[in-house]
Amino acid sequence: MIDIIKYKDRLLNSEEDISKLIDDLEAKKEDDSSFFSFIQEIDEKYLHNHKICLLILEALQLSKSEAIYSTFNLRDIEAVYDLMLKYYPNDLQIWRDAIFFNFNVLDNEKKVRDMVSKLACKIKSVSGQLDDIGQEL
């Protein structure tokens, strides 16, 4: 049986660890070599966190180092955004960043229209559910 209090404490500790990592990454983001060296040292369990993943994608896009940006192409970043949308379909930050990337970087209007349409449907569905609850109050 799960001890919900211990679970809550473990969840809180994990989120605090992730927040500290994000703060450390944000502080290193301006220096490509420092940022990407630090990424290499992070425990792999944290690299799967969607907030950290978004920060890595942002750093890749803003990198000024040829040694960094020569190791990938923009389609690789697009593929990571697509994976994140698949596994975190309800995360609005991922949708926003993926839409901005496809619009501003890839200039893929067709994909952006499709993404905006899908996101609008998701928002409309949730909004309808919230309206239903509001009417019951």
Side-chain angles (χ1 to χ4, degrees), residues 32 36 53-64 68-69 72-74 77-78 81 97-98 100-102 104-106:
D32 284 347
F36 290 105
C53 190
L54 286 174
L55 191 56
I56 292 170
L57 291 174
E58 179 184 347
L60 286 170
Q61 292 174 65
L62 299 175
S63 175
K64 294 176 179 76
I68 299 297
Y69 64 75
F72 68 92
N73 65 54
L74 296 176
I77 293 176
E78 177 186 28
Y81 277 123
D97 288 2
F100 283 0
F101 175 77
N102 279 277
N104 294 318
V105 178
L106 296 182

Side-chain angles (χ1 to χ4, degrees), residues 49-51 54 81 84-99 119 122-123:
N49 177 277
H50 64 282
K51 294 178 220 168
L54 286 174
Y81 277 123
M84 292 179 70
L85 288 172
K86 176 181 177 182
Y87 292 109
Y88 303 100
N90 298 318
D91 189 309
L92 294 177
Q93 183 67 44
I94 297 170
W95 278 98
R96 187 193 74 100
D97 288 2
I99 288 169
L119 181 56
K122 286 180 174 293
I123 291 171

